[in-house]
């Protein structure tokens, strides 16, 4: 088990981990979750993949590559990683080892600048179609998995569209919860005018009552009513908004942010739960 943590200016978790975590410490964590995995979309031994990453976005793609390598799967992987300089390439030696060990693992490294390695022989600049065609000439036939900063992923989507890539085979993961939250709230705001009926959500501790539309999550309804509830990802992934449901029924479509035993105890994630009846929450 390993984690990759980028120190973010002012980040309370990333800075604490870098400054205080040491060998022998114990952390309580949730298990792997989410849907960003090539193994969930096809039989890996029979598929061709293109992994595109930038910066610390390499983490989930490295996990998939390690699994294919360590299990000796015959998955055909073209791995293209972008970094600022050669010194900033995460997992550089391990990636090179996998490329050496497996003929079905093709590695392409792209750096914005040479940094302290003037003899750098890899690609320079930013990912573009000529570079992609050089590394993976058959990229149109591959399932694409992308992770990196939001501007990088937007550039990748535009690049693939320009290259005629069938975007139904494209998958990406964002590690910026604030951008996901903003997108989700924008979507909820756009749909508020269409809410015509629904159920009442009572917050037993605060005494607040909120009307929740039929296609609205409890979290979005509460926020629209001016309530401030703890939440982060708004996708049912992080578990920040976990709340005890005293009564009622909901349709909860989570992404791993809550365990079955917690569901059995009556907990829900308001960010991904839509009421099927009037609901009372212990908050």
């Amino acid at each position: 088990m390993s984690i990759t943590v980028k120190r973010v200016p002012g980040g309370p978790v990333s800075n604490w981990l870098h400054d205080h975590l040491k060998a022998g410490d114990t952390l309580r964590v949730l298990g792997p979750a989410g849907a960003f995995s090539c193994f969930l979309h096809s039989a890996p031994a029979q598929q061709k993949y293109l992994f595109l990453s930038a910066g610390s976005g390499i983490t989930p793609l490295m996990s998939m590559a390690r699994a294919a390598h360590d299990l000796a799967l015959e998955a055909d992987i073209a791995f293209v990683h972008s970094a600022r300089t050669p010194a900033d390439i995460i997992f550089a030696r391990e990636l090179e080892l996998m490329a050496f060990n497996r003929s079905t693992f093709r590695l392409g490294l792209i750096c914005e600048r040479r940094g302290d390695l003037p003899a750098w022989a890899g690609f320079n600049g930013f990912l573009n179609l000529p570079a992609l065609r050089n590394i993976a000439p058959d990229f149109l036939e591959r399932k694409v998995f992308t992770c990196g900063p939001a501007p990088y992923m937007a550039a990748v989507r535009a690049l693939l569209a320009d290259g005629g890539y069938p975007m139904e085979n494209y998958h990406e993961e964002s590690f910026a919860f604030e951008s996901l939250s903003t997108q989700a709230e924008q979507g909820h705001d756009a749909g508020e005018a269409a809410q015509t009926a629904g159920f009442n959500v009572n917050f037993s501790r605060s005494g607040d009552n909120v009307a929740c539309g039929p296609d609205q999550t409890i979290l979005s309804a509460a926020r629209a009513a001016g309530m401030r509830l703890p939440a982060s990802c708004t996708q049912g992934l992080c578990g920040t908004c976990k709340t005890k449901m005293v009564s009622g029924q909901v349709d909860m479509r989570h992404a791993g942010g809550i365990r079955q035993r917690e569901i059995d105890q009556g907990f829900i994630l308001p960010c991904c739960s839509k009421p099927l009846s009037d609901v009372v929450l212990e908050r």
Side-chain angles (χ1 to χ4, degrees):
M1 298 290 291
S2 63
I3 60 174
T4 306
V5 181
K6 177 182 179 180
R7 183 191 287 273
V8 178
V13 177
S14 64
N15 285 283
W16 186 91
L17 289 171
H18 277 278
D19 294 336
H20 300 288
L21 193 65
K22 61 184 182 301
D25 287 347
T26 300
L27 296 177
R28 184 181 179 186
V29 300
L30 294 175
F36 187 70
S37 170
C38 62
F39 305 113
L40 298 178
H41 294 279
S42 56
Q46 304 169 1
Q47 278 293 343
K48 298 167 70 175
Y49 302 107
L50 173 59
F51 293 169
L52 300 173
S53 64
S56 56
I58 193 174
T59 307
L61 299 169
M62 192 64 187
S63 179
M64 296 181 222
R66 280 176 175 166
H69 177 269
D70 294 349
L71 296 173
L73 301 178
E74 291 301 324
D76 185 331
I77 297 173
F79 200 126
V80 183
H81 179 65
S82 297
R84 288 190 176 89
T85 71
D88 295 313
I89 299 173
I90 307 173
F91 307 120
R93 294 183 63 184
E94 188 176 356
L95 286 166
E96 292 169 355
L97 178 63
M98 288 194 286
F100 177 81
N101 287 340
R102 306 288 295 181
S103 61
T104 54
F105 187 90
R106 190 180 313 165
L107 177 63
L109 301 173
I110 302 176
C111 294
E112 294 179 28
R113 52 189 183 275
R114 298 176 186 273
D116 295 331
L117 289 178
W120 165 252
F123 291 90
N124 290 311
F126 297 94
L127 178 64
N128 53 47
L129 270 177
L132 182 58
R133 290 190 175 111
N134 185 292
I135 299 168
D138 57 351
F139 75 94
L140 294 176
E141 304 170 12
R142 296 175 177 269
K143 288 185 179 291
V144 174
F145 290 81
T146 305
C147 188
Y152 168 81
M153 294 197 295
V156 166
R157 291 193 297 271
L159 179 152
L160 292 174
D162 289 344
Y165 183 78
M167 296 304 287
E168 63 270 17
N169 293 329
Y170 176 82
H171 309 275
E172 70 175 33
E173 176 177 84
S174 172
F175 51 81
F177 281 170
E178 62 273 14
S179 65
L180 287 174
S181 179
T182 300
Q183 293 170 9
E185 288 191 21
Q186 289 173 344
H188 295 318
D189 291 343
E192 282 175 18
Q195 303 293 346
T196 57
F199 298 101
N200 180 71
V201 180
N202 172 259
F203 295 83
S204 61
R205 291 183 180 177
S206 68
D208 290 308
N209 286 284
V210 171
C212 189
D215 293 319
Q216 201 174 21
T217 65
I218 292 174
L219 177 63
S220 65
R223 285 182 167 177
M227 295 184 65
R228 295 176 61 87
L229 299 182
S232 184
C233 73
T234 72
Q235 305 288 308
L237 179 63
C238 70
T240 302
C241 65
K242 195 178 301 175
T243 304
K244 182 69 174 292
M245 184 170 64
V246 179
S247 64
Q249 291 182 310
V250 298
D251 177 19
M252 180 169 61
R253 306 292 178 91
H254 68 89
I258 188 170
R259 299 178 180 181
Q260 184 58 49
R261 66 170 178 266
E262 293 171 320
I263 297 174
D264 295 341
Q265 293 168 2
F267 286 90
I268 67 166
L269 299 179
C271 72
C272 59
S273 296
K274 297 178 181 179
L276 299 176
S277 68
D278 288 344
V279 173
V280 177
L281 299 181
E282 193 177 87
R283 186 177 287 278

